[in-house]
Amino acid sequence: MALPHLHLVSFPLCPFVQRSVITLKHKKVPFERTFIDPKDLPGWFLEKSPTGKVPLLIVDQDTPLFESAVINEYVDELTPPHLMPADPLHRALARAWIAFASDMIMALHRWMTAPTEEAFREARDEAVKGLRRMEEQCQAGPCFSGPDFTLLDSTLAPLLMRYDMLQDPDSPWQPAEYPRLARWWQHISALPEVQDSTVGDFRERLMRFLNAQEGFAGPRLAAGLAARGH
Ligand SMILES: N[C@@H](CCC(=O)N[C@@H](CS)C(=O)NCC(=O)O)C(=O)O
């Protein structure tokens, strides 16, 4: 079967887009990519996207597919080997944990953009609860669900990448407290599809985004990022 033409519409910093990029690259499915400005969404995008959110995958020039989890399952079904379990219960559980991971991204966002110290600590505590659950769920590896790469790996990688970059004494991510997740991240972060899943100037863009936040968390995390350099 010939593969459809895939056009991924992206924001440069979006973790949900990054999940789809990792999935597409892992599956070696060719795709075209367009970056749009979150502050100035083009009319053609708003016309095509029912939610106004990215990722948007335009299939064969005219069918817009949205929601990263759905896009990733679609991409996965295009070519074998498949990245979701064959067993219905295990597949349902993978979908449930993928939804859980999306809530974790939102908790990360609240932590990164917390306007006050109190909100920063509240967001941290909420994220810690989630990370503890993920730690219990993480298998012996090297991938999250066992020996093989699944959609949970591409889904969780953008979360851990950001926590890994944004080290802070008050970060929910203290690797020594999550030995399974830390070992998993060591393996996953070295994969080429993960290393090659963000824009080249991701770090600088993240720093600009954090510095532009008013209030407690953003400038503090940006300063930490700048201090660690490289
Ligand atoms: N549930 C969606 C979330 C996507 C999402 O929130 N994307 C953000 C960028 S990271 C977005 O487009 N935000 C624009 C907006 O909310 O207006 C998915 O998994 O695709």
Side-chain angles (χ1 to χ4, degrees), residues 173-190:
W173 174 243
Q174 303 296 338
E177 289 174 29
Y178 311 99
R180 283 174 176 239
L181 282 175
R183 196 190 44 225
W184 167 82
W185 176 239
Q186 206 175 10
H187 171 71
I188 290 294
S189 59

Side-chain angles (χ1 to χ4, degrees), residues 11 14-16 19 51-55 67-69 102:
F11 296 165
C14 177
F16 297 98
R19 298 166 156 188
T51 59
K53 293 183 182 180
V54 295
E67 285 297 325
S68 60
S102 294

Side-chain angles (χ1 to χ4, degrees), residues 17-200:
V17 168
Q18 195 187 353
R19 298 166 156 188
S20 297
V21 173
I22 295 171
T23 305
L24 283 155
K25 290 194 179 219
H26 182 87
K27 299 284 301 200
K28 299 192 168 43
V29 171
F31 65 104
E32 180 193 341
R33 190 167 181 187
T34 298
F35 290 100
I36 56 173
D37 181 350
K39 295 204 183 87
D40 186 18
L41 298 175
W44 61 264
F45 169 74
L46 291 170
E47 215 169 279
K48 280 193 184 295
S49 165
T51 59
K53 293 183 182 180
V54 295
L56 184 74
L57 186 73
I58 305 172
V59 181
D60 281 340
Q61 322 285 355
D62 61 3
T63 307
L65 188 61
F66 54 103
E67 285 297 325
S68 60
V70 176
I71 291 172
N72 290 356
E73 284 207 44
Y74 168 68
V75 168
D76 183 35
E77 286 172 18
L78 289 175
T79 60
H82 296 305
L83 305 179
M84 284 292 266
D87 170 72
L89 178 59
H90 286 133
R91 198 160 62 247
L93 281 167
R95 290 189 179 122
W97 283 102
I98 284 169
F100 189 91
S102 294
D103 290 346
M104 297 279 297
I105 289 276
M106 301 319 288
L108 163 74
H109 187 79
R110 282 193 288 281
W111 179 70
M112 288 186 339
T113 58
T116 62
E117 186 164 0
E118 195 190 354
F120 185 67
R121 293 192 202 290
E122 270 172 25
R124 190 254 333 256
D125 293 349
E126 187 195 342
V128 163
K129 280 192 207 150
L131 284 166
R132 286 192 181 141
R133 289 280 182 180
M134 302 291 330
E135 173 71 9
E136 286 165 15
Q137 192 61 23
C138 189
Q139 300 301 304
C143 295
F144 191 84
S145 304
D148 300 321
F149 189 97
T150 71
L151 289 187
L152 257 173
D153 295 297
S154 51
T155 298
L156 280 169
L159 177 78
L160 264 290
M161 192 192 96
R162 284 158 182 74
Y163 276 135
D164 198 37
M165 289 179 96
L166 298 172
Q167 291 165 30
D168 185 278
D170 270 324
S171 170
W173 174 243
Q174 303 296 338
E177 289 174 29
Y178 311 99
R180 283 174 176 239
L181 282 175
R183 196 190 44 225
W184 167 82
W185 176 239
Q186 206 175 10
H187 171 71
I188 290 294
S189 59
L191 298 179
E193 61 270 43
V194 175
Q195 296 218 332
D196 195 24
S197 61
T198 55
V199 289

